[in-house]
Amino acid sequence: MNILVCISNVPDTTTKVTFNANNTQFNTAGVQFIINPYDEIALARAIELTDGGNGTVTVIHVGEAANEPTIRKALAIGATDAVRINAPAHDAYFVAVQIAEYVKQHQFDLILTGRESIDYNGSKVAAMLGELLDLPSVSIIKKLDVDGTQATVEREIEGGKEILTIPFPFVAGTAEGVAEPKIPNMRGIMSARTKPLAVVEPVEVKTFSEIISYETPAPRGQVKLIAADDVAKLVDLLHNEAKVI
């Protein structure tokens, strides 16, 4: 089985987010970048499925050369090889098109993404890949098992679970529960230095979106304590100040 895992390069979850260039660019100064945590789950499951010589795991990333340490970490965790599309990730559509063009030239049985990236939380790439490649696509899966030429996936839905059987090839966006993220060992870190990392030039993509500016959330206001028996005061604040009723 040949599995392609799409990974993104995101700020560490402890990052203090600031912007520059008149609030049109994320300020990367002093920021530590990591593999998107949901993508790490996808990578861990791909490694489990191919363990013991049962296939290969290729990681693909759309980004510039500065992101290669993140790719090398994926190789250290256990990916077989890697591909970097040499372009900044403009938006989800741009990323999906670049990955789809690569897949059209290389055969994969399974394409995995994370459910979303923790920086933009878009949850778009898996669905877009399915559409661009004319493949089945299922998002936010909680379980993934393989049986011969098909896989069984489990999703949480309102009031229960949805279990689907899907023939290969297909695209899936993974969430918590699919696998536990893996920590690279020393042997993996050393071998990652010599594993193949191909650099591919991007294809032209029509631009459909543009970021005009970023805004940080408004600071939290002070907490107001109200006596448990003062229902009228609570209702008044919720209605006239918080404006939620």
Side-chain angles (χ1 to χ4, degrees):
M1 175 183 292
N2 297 322
I3 304 177
L4 181 70
V5 179
C6 310
I7 64 171
S8 52
N9 186 59
V10 299
D12 186 89
T13 53
T14 60
T15 298
K16 182 179 180 180
V17 175
T18 61
F19 305 105
N20 54 22
N22 197 28
N23 288 335
T24 60
Q25 294 179 354
F26 172 62
N27 183 9
T28 60
V31 173
Q32 179 180 354
F33 286 87
I34 60 173
I35 302 174
N36 179 49
Y38 293 115
D39 300 341
E40 275 199 280
I41 294 171
L43 177 59
R45 187 62 181 135
I47 292 169
E48 291 172 355
L49 291 173
T50 58
D51 192 31
N54 292 321
T56 62
V57 176
T58 300
V59 293
I60 188 167
H61 171 72
V62 179
E64 298 174 295
N67 299 351
E68 289 195 1
T70 297
I71 302 173
R72 289 290 178 191
K73 182 181 178 183
L75 292 170
I77 290 172
T80 310
D81 61 341
V83 177
R84 179 175 66 83
I85 308 297
N86 189 30
H90 176 75
D91 58 18
Y93 179 72
F94 180 88
V95 170
V97 170
Q98 301 302 330
I99 295 173
E101 288 301 313
Y102 181 81
V103 172
K104 289 174 183 178
Q105 301 173 40
H106 302 80
Q107 186 173 356
F108 294 98
D109 302 295
L110 177 60
I111 303 170
L112 295 178
T113 74
R115 62 177 289 179
E116 62 187 0
S117 62
I118 63 170
D119 49 2
Y120 288 98
N121 303 101
S123 300
K124 299 175 183 177
V125 172
M128 288 181 175
L129 281 174
E131 179 67 21
L132 291 167
L133 295 169
D134 195 24
L135 293 176
S137 175
V138 56
S139 296
I140 316 181
I141 65 171
K142 295 282 189 173
K143 190 176 182 180
L144 170 61
D145 293 318
V146 171
D147 182 14
T149 59
Q150 65 183 20
T152 301
V153 302
E154 185 177 294
R155 304 174 67 239
E156 288 185 357
I157 58 175
E158 186 175 354
K161 296 179 180 179
E162 181 180 50
I163 299 174
L164 304 170
T165 300
I166 311 172
F168 295 115
F170 68 93
V171 184
T174 62
E176 314 92 301
V178 171
E180 289 295 323
K182 298 181 181 296
I183 299 174
N185 55 33
M186 184 56 66
R187 181 179 179 182
I189 293 170
M190 296 299 291
S191 65
R193 299 177 182 178
T194 57
K195 286 183 178 179
L197 197 171
V199 178
V200 177
E201 292 305 314
V203 298
E204 289 190 16
V205 178
K206 185 176 180 180
T207 301
F208 291 102
S209 66
E210 181 181 356
I211 295 174
I212 297 174
S213 65
Y214 293 97
E215 293 182 4
T216 54
R220 293 182 178 180
Q222 292 183 338
V223 175
K224 292 186 178 180
L225 298 178
I226 302 168
D229 57 353
D230 195 351
V231 177
K233 178 65 173 177
L234 174 61
V235 172
D236 178 66
L237 289 172
L238 291 175
H239 181 69
N240 296 310
E241 187 169 315
K243 299 185 186 303
V244 295
I245 61 173

Short mmCIF file of all heavy atoms in Angstrom, two decimals, residues 14 39 48 54 58 63 67 82 85 92 105 111-112 147-148 155 162 168 173 176-177 185 203 207 212 242-244:
data_model
loop_
_atom_site.label_atom_id
_atom_site.label_comp_id
_atom_site.label_asym_id
_atom_site.label_seq_id
_atom_site.Cartn_x
_atom_site.Cartn_y
_atom_site.Cartn_z
N THR A 14 1.64 27.21 21.64
CA THR A 14 1.92 28.20 22.70
C THR A 14 2.32 29.56 22.12
O THR A 14 2.64 30.47 22.88
CB THR A 14 3.04 27.69 23.61
OG1 THR A 14 4.24 27.48 22.83
CG2 THR A 14 2.65 26.38 24.27
N ASP A 39 -2.31 16.47 11.28
CA ASP A 39 -1.52 15.79 10.24
C ASP A 39 -0.61 14.74 10.87
O ASP A 39 -0.34 13.70 10.25
CB ASP A 39 -0.68 16.81 9.46
CG ASP A 39 -1.52 17.87 8.77
OD1 ASP A 39 -2.73 17.63 8.59
OD2 ASP A 39 -0.98 18.93 8.42
N GLU A 48 1.57 3.03 10.84
CA GLU A 48 1.05 1.78 11.40
C GLU A 48 0.55 0.83 10.30
O GLU A 48 0.79 -0.38 10.35
CB GLU A 48 -0.09 2.08 12.37
CG GLU A 48 0.35 2.76 13.66
CD GLU A 48 -0.81 3.22 14.52
OE1 GLU A 48 -1.97 3.09 14.07
OE2 GLU A 48 -0.56 3.72 15.63
N ASN A 54 4.85 -3.33 4.60
CA ASN A 54 3.57 -3.47 3.91
C ASN A 54 3.23 -2.29 3.01
O ASN A 54 2.08 -2.15 2.57
CB ASN A 54 2.44 -3.67 4.92
CG ASN A 54 2.55 -4.99 5.64
OD1 ASN A 54 2.91 -6.00 5.04
ND2 ASN A 54 2.25 -4.99 6.94
N THR A 58 4.59 8.47 1.87
CA THR A 58 5.17 9.70 1.32
C THR A 58 4.48 10.89 1.96
O THR A 58 3.24 10.93 2.02
CB THR A 58 4.99 9.77 -0.21
OG1 THR A 58 5.65 8.66 -0.81
CG2 THR A 58 5.56 11.06 -0.77
N GLY A 63 5.06 24.51 0.47
CA GLY A 63 5.72 25.56 1.25
C GLY A 63 7.12 25.82 0.76
O GLY A 63 7.62 25.15 -0.16
N ASN A 67 10.62 25.65 5.46
CA ASN A 67 9.76 24.69 6.15
C ASN A 67 10.33 23.28 6.16
O ASN A 67 9.71 22.36 6.72
CB ASN A 67 8.38 24.65 5.49
CG ASN A 67 7.67 25.99 5.54
OD1 ASN A 67 8.12 26.92 6.20
ND2 ASN A 67 6.57 26.10 4.83
N ALA A 82 9.71 12.19 1.01
CA ALA A 82 8.94 13.42 1.12
C ALA A 82 8.99 14.21 -0.18
O ALA A 82 9.92 14.07 -0.98
CB ALA A 82 9.47 14.27 2.28
N ILE A 85 6.34 20.99 -2.51
CA ILE A 85 5.95 21.84 -3.62
C ILE A 85 6.48 23.23 -3.31
O ILE A 85 6.12 23.83 -2.30
CB ILE A 85 4.43 21.88 -3.82
CG1 ILE A 85 3.85 20.45 -3.89
CG2 ILE A 85 4.08 22.67 -5.07
CD1 ILE A 85 4.35 19.63 -5.04
N ALA A 92 -6.29 27.28 0.82
CA ALA A 92 -6.59 25.85 0.77
C ALA A 92 -6.73 25.36 -0.67
O ALA A 92 -6.28 24.25 -1.01
CB ALA A 92 -7.86 25.55 1.56
N GLN A 105 0.23 12.29 -11.23
CA GLN A 105 1.42 11.73 -11.86
C GLN A 105 2.04 10.59 -11.05
O GLN A 105 3.01 9.97 -11.48
CB GLN A 105 2.47 12.83 -12.05
CG GLN A 105 1.98 13.99 -12.90
CD GLN A 105 2.96 15.15 -12.92
OE1 GLN A 105 4.17 14.95 -12.99
NE2 GLN A 105 2.44 16.37 -12.84
N ILE A 111 -4.90 8.68 0.45
CA ILE A 111 -4.41 10.03 0.69
C ILE A 111 -5.00 10.51 2.01
O ILE A 111 -6.23 10.56 2.17
CB ILE A 111 -4.80 10.99 -0.45
CG1 ILE A 111 -4.27 10.47 -1.79
CG2 ILE A 111 -4.27 12.40 -0.17
CD1 ILE A 111 -4.81 11.22 -2.99
N LEU A 112 -4.13 10.85 2.96
CA LEU A 112 -4.58 11.28 4.28
C LEU A 112 -4.20 12.73 4.53
O LEU A 112 -3.10 13.17 4.17
CB LEU A 112 -3.96 10.40 5.36
CG LEU A 112 -4.35 8.92 5.38
CD1 LEU A 112 -3.60 8.20 6.48
CD2 LEU A 112 -5.86 8.75 5.55
N ASP A 147 -8.88 -3.59 5.16
CA ASP A 147 -9.14 -5.01 4.92
C ASP A 147 -9.06 -5.26 3.42
O ASP A 147 -10.03 -5.02 2.69
CB ASP A 147 -10.51 -5.40 5.46
CG ASP A 147 -10.81 -6.89 5.28
OD1 ASP A 147 -9.86 -7.65 4.98
OD2 ASP A 147 -11.98 -7.29 5.43
N GLY A 148 -7.89 -5.72 2.97
CA GLY A 148 -7.71 -6.01 1.55
C GLY A 148 -7.76 -4.78 0.69
O GLY A 148 -6.95 -3.86 0.85
N ARG A 155 -16.95 7.76 11.74
CA ARG A 155 -17.10 9.19 12.00
C ARG A 155 -18.12 9.39 13.10
O ARG A 155 -19.05 8.59 13.25
CB ARG A 155 -17.58 9.94 10.75
CG ARG A 155 -16.73 9.78 9.55
CD ARG A 155 -17.36 10.43 8.31
NE ARG A 155 -17.41 11.88 8.45
CZ ARG A 155 -18.53 12.59 8.41
NH1 ARG A 155 -19.70 12.00 8.25
NH2 ARG A 155 -18.48 13.91 8.52
N GLU A 162 -21.14 7.04 12.46
CA GLU A 162 -21.34 6.63 11.07
C GLU A 162 -20.16 5.75 10.67
O GLU A 162 -19.01 6.15 10.81
CB GLU A 162 -21.41 7.86 10.16
CG GLU A 162 -21.63 7.52 8.70
CD GLU A 162 -21.71 8.77 7.84
OE1 GLU A 162 -20.79 9.61 7.97
OE2 GLU A 162 -22.66 8.90 7.07
N PHE A 168 -10.40 1.43 -2.13
CA PHE A 168 -9.26 2.27 -2.50
C PHE A 168 -9.33 2.62 -3.99
O PHE A 168 -9.86 1.84 -4.78
CB PHE A 168 -7.94 1.55 -2.20
CG PHE A 168 -7.72 1.28 -0.74
CD1 PHE A 168 -7.69 -0.02 -0.26
CD2 PHE A 168 -7.54 2.33 0.16
CE1 PHE A 168 -7.47 -0.28 1.09
CE2 PHE A 168 -7.33 2.09 1.50
CZ PHE A 168 -7.30 0.78 1.97
N GLY A 173 -9.75 12.77 5.91
CA GLY A 173 -9.24 13.75 6.87
C GLY A 173 -9.34 13.18 8.27
O GLY A 173 -10.44 12.86 8.73
N GLU A 176 -8.76 13.09 16.11
CA GLU A 176 -8.32 12.37 17.29
C GLU A 176 -8.96 10.98 17.31
O GLU A 176 -10.11 10.81 16.95
CB GLU A 176 -8.71 13.12 18.57
CG GLU A 176 -8.43 14.60 18.57
CD GLU A 176 -9.60 15.41 18.09
OE1 GLU A 176 -10.02 15.19 16.94
OE2 GLU A 176 -10.10 16.26 18.84
N GLY A 177 -8.17 10.00 17.76
CA GLY A 177 -8.67 8.65 17.88
C GLY A 177 -8.17 7.72 16.80
O GLY A 177 -8.13 6.50 17.01
N ASN A 185 12.57 8.66 17.31
CA ASN A 185 13.70 8.21 18.12
C ASN A 185 15.01 8.63 17.46
O ASN A 185 15.01 9.20 16.35
CB ASN A 185 13.65 6.70 18.34
CG ASN A 185 13.59 5.91 17.03
OD1 ASN A 185 14.14 6.34 16.01
ND2 ASN A 185 12.91 4.78 17.05
N VAL A 203 2.40 24.39 -10.10
CA VAL A 203 1.65 24.72 -11.31
C VAL A 203 0.94 26.05 -11.08
O VAL A 203 0.74 26.47 -9.93
CB VAL A 203 0.63 23.61 -11.65
CG1 VAL A 203 1.35 22.31 -11.94
CG2 VAL A 203 -0.39 23.44 -10.53
N THR A 207 -6.21 32.62 -8.68
CA THR A 207 -6.44 33.07 -7.31
C THR A 207 -7.90 33.46 -7.12
O THR A 207 -8.46 34.26 -7.87
CB THR A 207 -5.55 34.29 -6.99
OG1 THR A 207 -4.18 33.92 -7.14
CG2 THR A 207 -5.79 34.77 -5.56
N ILE A 212 -7.20 40.27 3.33
CA ILE A 212 -7.13 41.73 3.39
C ILE A 212 -6.45 42.18 4.67
O ILE A 212 -5.58 43.06 4.66
CB ILE A 212 -8.54 42.34 3.28
CG1 ILE A 212 -9.15 41.97 1.92
CG2 ILE A 212 -8.48 43.86 3.45
CD1 ILE A 212 -10.59 42.40 1.78
N ALA A 242 -24.61 41.93 27.58
CA ALA A 242 -24.05 40.85 26.74
C ALA A 242 -24.83 40.71 25.44
O ALA A 242 -24.29 40.25 24.43
CB ALA A 242 -24.06 39.54 27.52
N LYS A 243 -26.11 41.10 25.48
CA LYS A 243 -26.99 41.04 24.29
C LYS A 243 -27.04 39.63 23.69
O LYS A 243 -26.94 39.44 22.48
CB LYS A 243 -26.54 42.05 23.24
CG LYS A 243 -26.58 43.49 23.72
CD LYS A 243 -26.24 44.47 22.62
CE LYS A 243 -26.15 45.91 23.13
NZ LYS A 243 -27.39 46.36 23.79
N VAL A 244 -27.21 38.64 24.58
CA VAL A 244 -27.34 37.26 24.12
C VAL A 244 -28.76 36.74 24.24
O VAL A 244 -29.07 35.64 23.79
CB VAL A 244 -26.37 36.33 24.88
CG1 VAL A 244 -24.94 36.69 24.57
CG2 VAL A 244 -26.64 36.36 26.38
#
